[in-house]
Amino acid sequence: QVQLVESGGGLVQAGGSLRLSCAASGSLFSLSTAGWYRQAPGKQRELVAKITSGDNTYYADSVKGRFTISRDNAKNTVYLRMNNLKPEDTAVYYCNTVVFEKNIWGQGTQVTVSS
């Protein structure tokens, strides 16, 4: 059973940076695609970035060039480096993976960007 725990959120001014971490338990995590999603108040949850087991990456257009997703399989951890943050990046950020067709989510970490 894979469990995910996010950390690294907080309050930052526009133009600032944060690095989110998603620590996973379970050996199957390194073999799975992992993604970061976010949900702002009153909006649907949206995919921000994802990374495959082979380190192929995908980014939403809104974060391309500002966010970088990476993974350290030795630490069973996926990261999201967020630079040049904007107020519209304010949301709860969730880590996600799929193991044996089961969607697994972390509890989320709040990111607030002030203008």
Side-chain angles (χ1 to χ4, degrees), residues 28-41:
L28 296 177
F29 184 68
S30 63
L31 303 178
S32 305
T33 294
W36 284 97
Y37 289 72
R38 67 186 180 187
Q39 188 166 19

Side-chain angles (χ1 to χ4, degrees), residues 66-85:
R66 300 189 297 123
F67 291 11
T68 303
I69 190 170
S70 61
R71 68 192 307 164
D72 184 339
N73 288 333
K75 295 183 178 180
N76 242 16
T77 301
V78 171
Y79 304 97
L80 185 67
R81 177 69 180 180
M82 306 185 294
N83 294 328
N84 190 22
L85 282 160

Side-chain angles (χ1 to χ4, degrees), residues 53-113:
S53 58
D55 288 342
N56 293 312
T57 58
Y58 163 86
Y59 296 94
D61 287 342
S62 59
V63 307
K64 279 181 183 176
R66 300 189 297 123
F67 291 11
T68 303
I69 190 170
S70 61
R71 68 192 307 164
D72 184 339
N73 288 333
K75 295 183 178 180
N76 242 16
T77 301
V78 171
Y79 304 97
L80 185 67
R81 177 69 180 180
M82 306 185 294
N83 294 328
N84 190 22
L85 282 160
K86 304 176 180 180
E88 51 263 43
D89 294 318
T90 295
V92 178
Y93 284 71
Y94 297 91
C95 184
N96 167 271
T97 192
V98 179
V99 177
F100 296 134
E101 300 182 354
K102 181 179 179 181
N103 237 334
I104 299 170
W105 296 93
Q107 83 287 353
T109 185
Q110 176 70 46
V111 171
T112 302
V113 184

